[in-house]
Amino acid sequence: MRARLCLVLAVFSAAAATAAPIDVAPAGTFHHLDASGRQSLALAGGQVALVWEDSHGGAPRCYLGLKAGAETAFREYPLGRGECFDPAVAALDGERFLLAWEDETGINAALAGPAGPGGSINLGAGAHASVAAHPTLGAHIAWNAPAGRWQRVWRASLRVLGTQPRAATPQAADAAPPSDDQGFPALAAGEHGVRLLWEDRRHGHTVIYASASADGQVWSAPMRVSGNPTGRAPGNLGRGTGAMRPAVASFGGGFAAAWLDKRDFLSGYDVYAALSEGAGFAKDGKAQDNFADAIAQWHVAVAGNRRGELVIAWDDDRDGTSDIWLTRLTAAGYSENFTLPETSGPAHQSDPAIALDEAGNLHLAWIERAPGSDSSGPTRLRYTVWPLPKS
Amino acid sequence: MSLRAHLAWLLLLSLPVLADPPPDYPFVGHDAGMAQAREAGKPILLYFGRYGCAWCDHVNRKTFSDPGLKQRLSDNYALIYVDAEGGKRIRLPSGERLTEGELGARLGAFATPLFVFMTPEGKVVAKIPGFKTVADFQDYDRYVRGGHYRKQTLLEFLGSKP
């Protein structure tokens, strides 16, 4: 496997070294990078923003870490009230970010600049928030909240007034009454509009749905993105295989969606992806290579930039322990999977969050546990930057 | 709608919701089950299912429908059901908060059903994926409640059966 890795890196030619990893927060206290859509890391005008949850204060709390590109440490700002989960972040404008999280008051949103977060607004009960913004298409938030018997995905546009957002009336992602649960929304905004993906159980198993907006105001009817088959197995059993935890990013002139997909149910979840085609998405396919097929993949994230580079990241333990694995979209399709020295090896590296800057640098945050420690062992929250080699 | 269509529709409505825990078993959510196990000193059987999962449906119909097994498991275990893709938040014995889906990732629930036997304190004793028979569960019960896990792996125990 290592020989193959060397070959892959050689193919990408003269790979530049990653920056020395930064420990973002105090070690040891259940760090989580669990934003819906894996939107835990964002870049705006030379500023880096990372949001996470940990329990170093004795209970789960959310934090925002901010640093200028060249700085070697993050400044830490607490978010939310009481127990707090799943903070998400997206670039807004200039050096500002759009934030969302869930705490004891429900779903909240706020802005943050280099000096830290401003005042927040509350959008009511809910979980698993996602945010996206674009200079002309506006700022948007999505989350899931109970609607009678089911969880339903909601979205709202946000007006930015000074240091605080203001939310328009929330709208259901699907105007039709839900017939089963929806959840884990993921938003992205780019030159060609805004995309919202979510998990949907309307077919009796979990599949990925999407809605598209060209102007940030009018949204399309829901469309199915994942091709995991719906239908009973022989013997009238089940209703279909699973797909979960969608992530979406804008890149070049379009969007890329990625998720975990169990259509090959014997080997666990695989990484599937689909690229935008008009207002929808083209037929999906595996983004991982064949060496990943017999291994379960987890925590898929996707990042792109305006010059058209696209990276998908996840964790799997094909080399014996969990490592962060990556693939790049090339002219020939998705590259062979590769990892980086800092995010692989005997330690347990997982839960990647990624962002790509316009110079082609991959910013990567992840959770790490010492070799041999069990899943409740002490964790570190780490961050590094890797200049993408020319493909 | 014809009489036949009516009957088919009624039959469909009468079917249990797929890939939920088997009907009439006292399965509860993660946190309630962990508390129940600690209070009663009972070992835990945690059933990872997946919404729409065919093999979960199969094991529910073919195995958990056995009255003797139902009695044995209901009397002697804290029975926990977890949706391996679920977003519900749970609390681990360590105090860590996770979603059900994230617990699945931690425990490697890549194939469902996955049956995880634990001590009353939540220590994992055995993880068993896939369809299993009544006889299989009788063996697992002997392994867990007989305390054999303290000296043998499950494979060693099963291999040493007379």
Side-chain angles (χ1 to χ4, degrees), chain A residues 131-150:
Chain A
V131 284
H134 183 270
T136 58
L137 302 174
H140 303 269
I141 182 170
W143 68 97
N144 57 264
R149 183 177 171 188
W150 311 113

Side-chain angles (χ1 to χ4, degrees), chain A residues 32 83 180 206 262 269, chain B residues 51-52 85 89 96-97 110:
Chain A
H32 295 149
E83 290 199 348
D180 212 317
T206 316
K262 208 173 183 178
Y269 293 95
Chain B
Y51 201 56
E85 294 176 344
R89 289 209 171 79
E96 185 174 12
R97 300 290 307 270
F110 63 86

Side-chain angles (χ1 to χ4, degrees), chain B residues 82-152:
Chain B
V82 171
D83 175 350
E85 294 176 344
K88 194 184 296 177
R89 289 209 171 79
I90 61 174
R91 189 182 299 276
L92 300 185
S94 63
E96 185 174 12
R97 300 290 307 270
L98 294 174
T99 60
E100 289 184 311
E102 190 55 33
L103 180 65
R106 293 277 181 92
L107 291 175
F110 63 86
T112 51
L114 174 71
F115 301 102
V116 183
F117 285 92
M118 300 181 188
T119 65
E121 296 75 34
K123 182 174 184 291
V124 174
V125 166
K127 290 195 294 184
I128 303 141
F131 174 80
K132 299 299 167 197
T133 65
V134 172
D136 291 332
F137 275 99
Q138 288 167 344
D139 285 339
Y140 306 149
D141 176 44
R142 279 198 294 276
Y143 176 69
V144 174
R145 285 200 296 134
H148 298 280
Y149 61 86
R150 296 189 187 95
K151 296 178 185 166
Q152 289 176 298

Side-chain angles (χ1 to χ4, degrees), chain A residues 95-121:
Chain A
E95 294 190 321
R96 295 199 300 173
F97 298 93
L98 181 58
L99 308 169
W101 63 87
E102 175 199 345
D103 66 18
E104 65 183 26
T105 68
I107 297 294
N108 295 272
L111 310 182
S120 62
I121 58 165

